[in-house]
Amino acid sequence: MQFEFESLSKPLRDAISLMGYQKPTPIQREVIPLALQGFDIMGQAQTGTGKTAAFAIPIVEMAKSQDRAIALVMTPTRELSMQVKQEFFALSRFKNLRVYSFYGGTMVQRDLELLSRAIPNIVVGTPGRLKDLIQRNALVLNEIQFLVLDEADMMLDLGFIEDVEWIISKTAKDRQSFLFSATIPKQVQELAKKFLKPEYKFVKVISQELYPMIEERVIKLSSSGQKLTELERLLREYSEERIIVFVKTRKDAKELTNWVRSQGFSAVALHGDMTQKKRENALKLFKEGKTNIVIATDVASRGLDIKNVGLVINFHIPENPEVYIHRIGRTGRIGAKGKAFSLVSPEESKALYRIKKLRQKVSA
């Protein structure tokens, strides 16, 4: 068996084989054995490390098909919910587990009708929609055996903490719990103390191990007015690559998308003002290669599993240096080569300095 974990059941090993997994990533190598032993786990890892499979594989291995919800995964965004659902669905294809996802931006009536017909074994969703379904008595979680908080720091940043804690209070007390977070600020530590067992295991993947195949380049400009010219040059030079261009605001995303199109490129925007259907359509066009450029706000910097992104361009440098790490993680995923270029104007020099300090701290 190529995936190393010979103790896994044949249905799961067959599913893993069909998914093309060759060998465990560092986070999977550490987490899966501990999870199978029954430990609660706090994992620190950025997107692109294979962390979804790190918690999904042991849950699918230990789960049994029955008429109740046995696993709950909370995610901060709709896109991540869809991805996590797809991962569970693929892993459980030979185990007859029902996997459903619930998130905002869709008709709640659709979810209610779905839940009236069948009870999911594995529930994936965003806190707001999950809370709504619980309050309507459509979703019952008191027999949950496995609980996952994915991208916990992002859920805190988005203000979901009260909903998250309320939902956790509706789950079984003797569950096995997993918390995954790209960063571990004080609030995440406090959250871990509240809902992980005291003997939980902490697993950390160091950033310098994550992106060894990414070529990072800083392009310093004498003024912000030069950014459009430099961006056009890069888009033409790397016209054969899939490219994500990151900007600060929704307004920036709209305006820059229109400008890029006016220069003769095919591009789509991805930002929070778009309806769920429009966001899904934009991602579909990008994934299918019908357009090769996405202009995105940081709503797309985590959790989006888009394969073969060759180049990330930071049109605006993020104020938070950790956001930079998440952005560049859209390329060079799990061993693939990638490039990350940052267009830096003089007024962004302090933000660039903070990024360099963070990288030095992580590498120390």
Side-chain angles (χ1 to χ4, degrees), residues 148-165:
V148 181
L149 293 190
D150 197 11
E151 303 280 11
D153 53 351
M154 192 176 183
M155 279 198 271
L156 291 170
D157 289 344
L158 293 173
F160 292 149
I161 184 61
E162 289 184 4
D163 287 349
V164 167
E165 292 190 349

Side-chain angles (χ1 to χ4, degrees), residues 2 14 74 119 141 143 172 182 207 211 214 256 265 274 311:
Q2 291 178 311
D14 289 345
M74 279 190 272
I119 299 172
L141 303 174
E143 294 187 84
S207 288
Y211 308 135
I214 297 179
L256 191 59
F265 298 100
M274 300 167 67
L311 174 62

Side-chain angles (χ1 to χ4, degrees), residues 45-53 55-56 72-89 99-104 122-127 130 148-156 158 160 179-182 270 276 279-280 283 287 298-306 326 330 333:
Q46 277 81 10
T47 53
T49 61
K51 66 179 172 57
T52 302
F55 60 76
L72 171 67
V73 183
M74 279 190 272
T75 71
T77 67
R78 295 168 283 195
E79 289 82 7
L80 187 54
S81 288
M82 289 187 283
Q83 281 179 211
V84 172
K85 179 210 170 180
Q86 290 167 359
E87 187 89 4
F88 270 103
F89 186 79
V99 185
Y100 296 166
S101 60
F102 306 104
Y103 42 83
I122 298 172
V123 177
V124 183
T126 53
L130 292 172
V148 181
L149 293 190
D150 197 11
E151 303 280 11
D153 53 351
M154 192 176 183
M155 279 198 271
L156 291 170
L158 293 173
F160 292 149
L179 181 154
F180 285 84
S181 190
L270 195 63
Q276 179 66 14
R279 288 168 70 176
E280 289 176 4
L283 284 170
K287 288 182 176 181
D298 286 309
V299 70
S301 68
R302 293 204 209 176
L304 292 183
D305 187 17
I306 303 171
H326 305 314
R330 300 304 90 224
R333 294 182 63 86

Side-chain angles (χ1 to χ4, degrees), residues 41-308:
I41 295 169
M42 178 163 71
Q44 183 176 3
Q46 277 81 10
T47 53
T49 61
K51 66 179 172 57
T52 302
F55 60 76
I57 286 173
I59 288 174
V60 171
E61 174 69 6
M62 294 184 283
K64 291 179 174 57
S65 179
Q66 46 200 302
D67 289 327
R68 60 191 176 95
I70 52 180
L72 171 67
V73 183
M74 279 190 272
T75 71
T77 67
R78 295 168 283 195
E79 289 82 7
L80 187 54
S81 288
M82 289 187 283
Q83 281 179 211
V84 172
K85 179 210 170 180
Q86 290 167 359
E87 187 89 4
F88 270 103
F89 186 79
L91 287 167
S92 62
R93 69 181 75 197
F94 300 121
K95 291 203 65 173
N96 196 32
L97 296 171
R98 293 181 297 277
V99 185
Y100 296 166
S101 60
F102 306 104
Y103 42 83
T106 60
M107 296 278 291
V108 70
Q109 191 60 35
R110 182 213 67 162
D111 295 341
L112 295 173
E113 290 173 1
L114 185 64
L115 289 167
S116 71
R117 295 195 301 269
I119 299 172
N121 301 127
I122 298 172
V123 177
V124 183
T126 53
R129 177 55 58 90
L130 292 172
K131 183 178 180 180
D132 188 2
L133 294 173
I134 295 168
Q135 289 176 324
R136 293 170 187 259
N137 296 316
L139 187 62
V140 179
L141 303 174
N142 60 354
E143 294 187 84
I144 284 290
Q145 297 171 16
F146 309 102
L147 172 68
V148 181
L149 293 190
D150 197 11
E151 303 280 11
D153 53 351
M154 192 176 183
M155 279 198 271
L156 291 170
D157 289 344
L158 293 173
F160 292 149
I161 184 61
E162 289 184 4
D163 287 349
V164 167
E165 292 190 349
W166 185 86
I167 293 167
I168 291 174
S169 74
K170 303 299 178 181
T171 64
K173 297 293 184 287
D174 60 347
R175 65 182 185 264
Q176 184 178 2
S177 302
F178 307 88
L179 181 154
F180 285 84
S181 190
T183 61
I184 310 291
K186 185 178 180 182
Q187 301 96 312
V188 170
Q189 294 175 29
E190 291 172 353
L191 189 61
K193 287 179 183 177
K194 283 184 180 179
F195 88 95
L196 296 181
K197 297 184 183 75
E199 63 274 16
Y200 74 85
K201 301 295 185 180
F202 176 54
V203 176
K204 180 178 181 180
V205 173
I206 304 298
S207 288
Q208 68 186 84
E209 297 175 359
L210 299 182
Y211 308 135
M213 304 297 283
I214 297 179
E215 174 194 342
E216 295 178 68
R217 186 186 303 174
V218 173
I219 302 172
K220 292 187 177 181
L221 307 171
S222 58
S223 72
S224 58
Q226 291 183 302
K227 287 196 174 189
L228 290 177
T229 301
E230 186 62 23
L231 176 63
E232 182 182 1
R233 183 188 70 77
L234 291 173
L235 294 180
R236 296 201 185 283
E237 182 177 349
Y238 296 96
S239 60
E240 300 300 314
E241 300 276 14
R242 283 187 178 181
I243 302 170
I244 301 180
V245 182
F246 282 107
V247 294
K248 277 186 180 178
T249 68
R250 299 168 184 180
K251 182 172 180 286
D252 293 329
K254 296 173 190 175
E255 291 179 351
L256 191 59
T257 301
N258 289 333
W259 183 87
V260 167
R261 288 172 178 168
S262 74
Q263 305 307 303
F265 298 100
S266 174
V268 293
L270 195 63
H271 56 78
D273 272 348
M274 300 167 67
T275 64
Q276 179 66 14
K277 186 173 182 179
K278 286 184 177 179
R279 288 168 70 176
E280 289 176 4
N281 286 341
L283 284 170
K284 187 170 184 285
L285 289 171
F286 190 58
K287 288 182 176 181
E288 292 179 352
K290 293 176 181 176
T291 183
N292 71 314
I293 301 170
V294 169
I295 314 294
T297 58
D298 286 309
V299 70
S301 68
R302 293 204 209 176
L304 292 183
D305 187 17
I306 303 171
K307 292 179 173 61
N308 303 318

